[in-house]
Amino acid sequence: MKVPTDLSSLTDTLESDMDLSDLGITKQFAPGETIVAEDAPVRSIPIVTKGSIKVLQSDDTFKEMVLYYLRPGETCIMSFLAGLYHDTSKVKAVAEEESEVLFIPVVKIHNLIKGHPEWLNYIFQIYHKRFEELLEVVDAVAFKNMDERLLQFLEKRCEVMETDTLSMTHDQLAQELGTAREVISRLLKKMEAEGLVELGRNKIRLM
């Protein structure tokens, strides 16, 4: 099994030299299962091979906010760095759908980087992509109204899930955006009146 990726840094040469699954273990995760826990030691680097993963961070009151999503061929750069520097995870990674993740021990990642310079390109590309997404989160929180943040969140999630209809409760949306359920309900009704979404029972369809 080769790790699927559309990132140019994992070149055909690298993939023809080895089967990455030989370097670690592959695990299956159901929707909602935690893959990486906050404050847990990172001894293996997760690389998504199937499905999608959301990466969140929580505050002292246990409110959570989605930072970014991972698709096949991608890794969580924050977990990657925590593993390389023997630190604990500062984020939580949760399966968004049925997912498969390859865990490569940190010591083998060191060897991969030394033996295959292509991996440095892969790491830098992932870092660049995640940095841009984190800037979008900061921009949304600091400068956008909640209705703009909500629409942006729905659009991003639909893009990741490759659908126009999401199965989510107002409570789930409120938790992931760090606000109250009443705020989400009010904004969704307003968006429906404006023709931006269509609401059903625990379903939201982007128009």
Side-chain angles (χ1 to χ4, degrees):
M1 177 199 66
K2 301 286 194 253
V3 174
T5 179
D6 56 4
L7 296 172
S8 60
S9 51
L10 278 188
T11 63
D12 293 338
T13 301
L14 176 58
E15 291 192 346
S16 65
D17 284 346
M18 69 179 71
D19 189 334
L20 291 179
S21 62
D22 292 339
L23 300 178
I25 59 172
T26 299
K27 294 183 179 180
Q28 310 290 330
F29 293 91
E33 275 195 271
T34 297
I35 295 164
V36 177
E38 278 186 288
D39 299 320
V42 178
R43 298 186 177 90
S44 296
I45 305 303
I47 298 179
V48 182
T49 55
K50 292 180 183 177
S52 60
I53 309 297
K54 63 182 176 183
V55 178
L56 314 98
Q57 189 173 40
S58 61
D59 62 15
D60 294 338
T61 64
F62 301 104
K63 286 184 179 179
E64 296 179 332
M65 179 177 292
V66 175
L67 302 178
Y68 48 80
Y69 293 91
L70 305 178
R71 297 292 290 161
E74 297 183 341
T75 184
C76 175
I77 193 64
M78 299 184 76
S79 297
F80 197 104
L81 294 175
L84 289 183
Y85 292 101
H86 309 291
D87 200 358
T88 56
S89 176
K90 302 301 184 291
V91 296
K92 178 168 74 171
V94 177
E96 185 79 340
E97 56 186 321
E98 293 286 342
S99 300
E100 182 181 270
V101 179
L102 170 65
F103 292 90
I104 301 179
V106 171
V107 64
K108 293 185 179 180
I109 290 291
H110 283 291
N111 294 335
L112 271 177
I113 293 173
K114 290 177 182 177
H116 298 273
E118 301 93 337
W119 270 81
L120 282 179
N121 291 331
Y122 171 71
I123 294 168
F124 284 131
Q125 285 194 44
I126 290 288
Y127 188 92
H128 177 70
K129 185 176 182 181
R130 296 288 91 88
F131 184 73
E132 286 188 331
E133 289 174 330
L134 288 175
L135 284 181
E136 289 178 4
V137 172
V138 171
D139 177 72
V141 172
F143 304 114
K144 292 185 178 180
N145 295 326
M146 183 54 72
D147 55 349
E148 294 177 286
R149 289 180 56 198
L150 176 57
L151 182 58
Q152 179 179 306
F153 179 87
L154 293 175
E155 290 173 340
K156 182 66 176 180
R157 188 162 180 141
C158 281
E159 177 187 340
V160 169
M161 301 294 292
E162 298 180 348
T163 182
D164 64 355
T165 303
L166 299 173
S167 298
M168 293 190 73
T169 66
H170 295 190
D171 280 325
Q172 288 174 311
L173 275 172
Q175 182 181 29
E176 297 199 8
L177 285 167
T179 188
R181 180 185 60 79
E182 292 77 13
V183 172
I184 295 298
S185 297
R186 174 173 55 80
L187 291 177
L188 285 174
K189 288 180 181 178
K190 178 174 177 286
M191 290 168 63
E192 185 177 41
E194 294 172 350
L196 297 174
V197 300
E198 180 180 277
L199 302 179
R201 184 174 179 80
N202 295 336
K203 289 188 181 297
I204 303 166
R205 178 172 174 261
L206 277 180
M207 304 298 288

